[in-house]
Amino acid sequence: MTVKEAKERLFELSGIFQERILGDPELLAFLPERFVLALMPLDEPEAMREALEGLSRARGWEGEGPLVYALFQGGELLALVLPEGRGSAILV
């Protein structure tokens, strides 16, 4: 997978995340009012590397809200991991 393909894949996963939270009011209520989304495709190492490098490069997210990790596998949202002991939502 090229860097361009990895970025495109992360964009696709972002859309999947948006559809999922907009379709599930309880899930939306579980999230902090403001947050920075970190997409983590567990089974796609190149896309995962691009996501992690993007967070490292874009330190501008600090102050925008806490990081919320969206864990994906097989293109499906598996879980959300929230900051500061707020817990996680397992979505399987």
Side-chain angles (χ1 to χ4, degrees):
M1 178 180 285
T2 67
V3 171
K4 181 181 178 187
E5 291 170 333
K7 288 180 180 181
E8 289 171 355
R9 182 61 176 149
L10 291 172
F11 184 75
E12 290 171 11
L13 294 176
S14 176
I16 292 169
F17 173 81
Q18 290 175 5
E19 287 177 14
R20 182 71 185 265
I21 65 165
L22 292 176
D24 187 342
E26 289 181 16
L27 182 57
L28 184 59
F30 185 70
L31 295 168
E33 186 174 317
R34 292 173 37 127
F35 64 92
V36 176
L37 180 63
L39 302 165
M40 301 285 112
L42 302 175
D43 58 345
E44 300 178 50
E46 295 87 1
M48 174 74 94
R49 182 173 37 257
E50 184 62 32
L52 293 172
E53 288 175 1
L55 281 175
S56 178
R57 285 190 307 264
R59 291 308 242 175
W61 61 264
E62 293 175 345
E64 295 295 317
L67 280 175
V68 170
Y69 295 91
L71 308 181
F72 285 85
Q73 188 157 4
E76 293 192 28
L77 183 60
L78 294 179
L80 297 173
V81 180
L82 279 67
E84 301 172 11
R86 287 196 55 198
S88 62
I90 306 300
L91 309 170
V92 178

